[in-house]
Amino acid sequence: MCLVDEPPKVTGTLIWYYYICQREVWLMAHELNPEHENLFLELGRLIHEGTYSRDKKEFTFPGMKIDILQRREGRLIIGEVKKSSKTTKSAKMQLAYYLWRLEKMGLQTKGELLIPRERKRISIELTESLRIELEKTIEHIKKIVASKNPPPPVRSRFCRKCAYQEFCWS
Ligand code: SF4
C-alpha cells in the first residue's frame, strides 16, 4: 500500500468551487485574495507578466481536508460536514475527489455527506459514473487554471455572498 501520492494540483477546494463558479476556481487557484486592495493590479500583473504559471509552486489549499474519519464495520468512512444542502452537488464531488485520491493510495473508503442542521446523511460511493465525471472535472479544472485569463463572470445565486462580488461586478 502506498500512502504517498503525487502533490495535488487540483484540490478538494477547487473541486468544490468548480460546481459553484469556474471563475472563482481560477481566482482561488492563483491565490488572488479578494480582500486585497489592489486586486485589479495584482491580477493585471499576473496576466501580463505571465508569472503565475511558473512561479507559484502549489495552491494555497491542501489537496484534502477531511472533516471526519471513522472506521465502521471494517470500512473507512470519510465524512464531510456542510451547513446546508444548497451546495450538495459541490459537496458530493468534493467527497468523491477524496475517495478517488484515497483509492489511488490503496484505501477503499466510503463517503458520507453530513448536514446536521437538516438532519441529513447522504452516502457517497465512488461509482464508475461518478469517477468518470470527476476525472472530466479534474481535467477541466486543469485547463481553467492553466488559462492566462479567468473565465468571464457569470451571474448566479452564489454571487451575492461571494468574496469576489465587488471585483466581478463593480
Ligand atoms: S462574484 Fe459570481 S462570478 Fe464572480 S467569482 Fe463570485 S460567484 Fe463567480
Side-chain angles (χ1 to χ4, degrees), residues 20-25 27 151-169:
I20 303 285
C21 170
Q22 294 181 13
R23 178 174 169 87
E24 202 166 357
V25 167
L27 293 168
V154 176
R155 204 177 281 281
S156 76
R157 66 190 165 100
F158 297 112
C159 293
R160 202 164 48 86
K161 290 189 177 174
C162 177
Y164 294 105
Q165 188 188 24
E166 205 176 316
F167 173 64
C168 290
W169 301 112

Side-chain angles (χ1 to χ4, degrees), residues 44-106:
R45 184 184 66 76
L46 288 172
I47 289 172
H48 295 303
E49 292 177 11
T51 53
Y52 61 86
S53 56
R54 289 196 304 271
D55 297 347
K56 302 265 182 205
K57 287 180 200 144
E58 292 300 330
F59 305 124
T60 305
F61 306 102
M64 290 194 282
K65 204 162 140 193
I66 292 167
D67 290 337
I68 297 169
L69 184 62
Q70 288 180 335
R71 183 173 287 281
R72 214 183 295 151
E73 294 166 5
R75 201 162 177 200
L76 272 179
I77 310 288
I78 308 299
E80 180 70 18
V81 182
K82 295 295 178 196
K83 284 186 191 158
S84 88
S85 51
K86 284 181 188 160
T87 50
T88 301
K89 178 68 180 182
S90 283
K92 183 180 171 186
M93 295 312 293
Q94 184 183 21
L95 205 39
Y97 172 73
Y98 294 159
L99 301 183
W100 180 81
R101 286 275 309 279
L102 291 167
E103 185 185 79
K104 283 183 172 294
M105 292 183 234

Side-chain angles (χ1 to χ4, degrees), residues 142-157:
K142 284 181 188 167
K143 281 186 189 153
I144 291 170
V145 173
S147 171
K148 195 176 175 191
N149 299 303
V154 176
R155 204 177 281 281
S156 76
R157 66 190 165 100

